[in-house]
Amino acid sequence: MSLLWHIFLAVGDTIICCPPTFSLYTSVTTLCGAYVLEVPRTADYEVDVEGILEALTPETKMIILCSPNNPTGNPVSEADVLALLETGRIVVVDEAYVEFSDQPGGFAHLVLQYSNLVVLRTFSKWAGLAGLRIGYGLFPEWIGAYMKRAQCPFEVNVAGHIAAIETLKDLDYVLGNVRKVVRERDHVYDVLASQPYLEPIPSQGNFILAHVSNEEVEIRQVRTTLEANGILLRYFHHPYLHDFLRVTVGLPEHTDRLAQALAKVMV
Ligand SMILES: Cc1ncc(COP(=O)(O)O)c(C=O)c1O
């Protein structure tokens, strides 16, 4: 990702991103001396295509979308991606969680048709290789050529390389794990939805975002109770997300422990 950003962003350029979304897009953009134009998602967390079209300036070089989006868990629609491709800007779709979604092929099928579409993928989530720093991208040829010219020849370490190859040799096993996560996601959703103070958002990722929606319950209270029960969740400092928590889907016994702890919050 950072290589792509460094190739296409010069000081003073802008990219458009759609918060709430993955915070790294902003950090990498800032490191390039470029600026992020934030076009917030709509009330139902969809990408605001009209808003993006209005925000475009001659300096806007890229539009970054995350699908399924971290942390809201919803995918971007193909109609929205197609509309944004029409702007001629480089549209980057980060598909870090696509393997957990109903459309695990994501937008790969469009890359051959559009010279301004990039799809980014990682082995970190579905294959559990986070930390080994191994991922890949689908690029139009002209962008791929720039990437090859600009990349450091030692970008991928041997451990990550071997782990990725072994993963591909045993796809049945790894995709079986993905299916288990997808099944368990329904269980986590039901547990969250059954709490009177939580509103979970349906997710296509391996996590679920939930809004603490009851005026009598503060997120601090939820966090303290869960941490007292040995459960760490993801909380956010972002203004859009200060009343939200994100749960990563684990094993069925983890969900059971979460359910027990959540039930203690309002007693
Ligand atoms: C949306 C998204 N993209 C990319 C990444 C990072 O992927 P990698 O481990 O391949 O750097 C993450 C990690 O949390 C993520 O949530």
Side-chain angles (χ1 to χ4, degrees):
M1 185 178 122
S2 115
L3 185 60
L4 186 66
W5 261 234
H6 279 96
I7 290 172
F8 286 106
L9 296 182
V11 173
D13 284 342
T14 64
I15 76 158
I16 289 183
C17 81
C18 307
T21 193
F22 187 42
S23 56
L24 200 70
Y25 309 138
T26 302
S27 336
V28 179
T29 305
T30 310
L31 272 176
C32 295
Y35 300 96
V36 173
L37 298 178
E38 292 196 335
V39 179
R41 287 165 179 266
T42 62
D44 51 1
Y45 308 109
E46 296 297 330
V47 167
D48 176 4
V49 174
E50 288 302 314
I52 293 177
L53 297 181
E54 280 167 26
L56 290 175
T57 72
E59 286 75 36
T60 310
K61 298 289 158 53
M62 295 201 304
I63 300 168
I64 170 77
L65 305 169
C66 184
S67 183
N69 185 44
N70 176 8
T72 54
N74 58 322
V76 181
S77 75
E78 184 156 328
D80 287 353
V81 173
L82 292 175
L84 294 174
L85 284 166
E86 291 306 315
T87 64
R89 305 313 199 278
I90 295 172
V91 176
V92 181
V93 186
D94 178 352
E95 294 189 344
Y97 300 95
V98 77
E99 294 82 3
F100 301 98
S101 77
D102 292 346
Q103 308 270 330
F107 295 109
H109 61 288
L110 294 178
V111 176
L112 278 177
Q113 292 169 45
Y114 288 87
S115 61
N116 56 335
L117 175 62
V118 171
V119 169
L120 299 179
R121 300 267 180 89
T122 178
F123 280 69
S124 292
K125 318 295 177 183
W126 70 283
L129 299 188
L132 289 176
R133 319 305 314 135
I134 182 91
Y136 62 100
L138 309 173
F139 304 94
E141 259 179 59
W142 70 278
I143 297 183
Y146 277 117
M147 296 285 288
K148 274 192 194 147
R149 273 169 58 189
Q151 81 178 4
C152 164
F154 317 114
E155 205 85 69
V156 174
N157 66 68
V158 176
H161 198 159
I162 293 173
I165 289 171
E166 291 304 311
T167 299
L168 295 175
K169 280 190 196 159
D170 209 354
L171 265 187
D172 286 347
Y173 170 74
V174 186
L175 291 179
N177 287 341
V178 170
R179 280 192 293 275
K180 282 186 197 163
V181 170
V182 169
R183 267 200 304 277
E184 190 58 22
R185 185 173 68 200
D186 288 343
H187 183 196
V188 175
Y189 183 90
D190 292 344
V191 162
L192 297 172
S194 68
Q195 309 304 318
Y197 58 93
L198 285 180
E199 271 174 13
I201 303 169
S203 172
Q204 304 245 325
N206 64 342
F207 52 79
I208 297 181
L209 188 72
H211 183 217
V212 178
S213 56
N214 186 309
E215 280 176 10
E216 287 163 36
V217 177
E218 281 188 28
I219 190 124
R220 202 158 15 105
Q221 205 178 324
V222 182
R223 183 170 183 165
T224 312
T225 310
L226 291 183
E227 289 184 2
N229 284 272
I231 298 174
L232 296 176
L233 301 184
R234 177 72 158 93
Y235 304 92
F236 302 87
H237 294 298
H238 196 281
Y240 294 109
L241 295 171
H242 65 267
D243 280 342
F244 288 79
L245 50 84
R246 196 191 65 193
V247 181
T248 300
V249 177
L251 297 171
E253 51 267 39
H254 298 148
T255 313
D256 294 340
R257 280 202 43 194
L258 176 71
Q260 287 161 11
L262 288 172
K264 294 181 189 165
V265 171
M266 278 190 85
V267 290

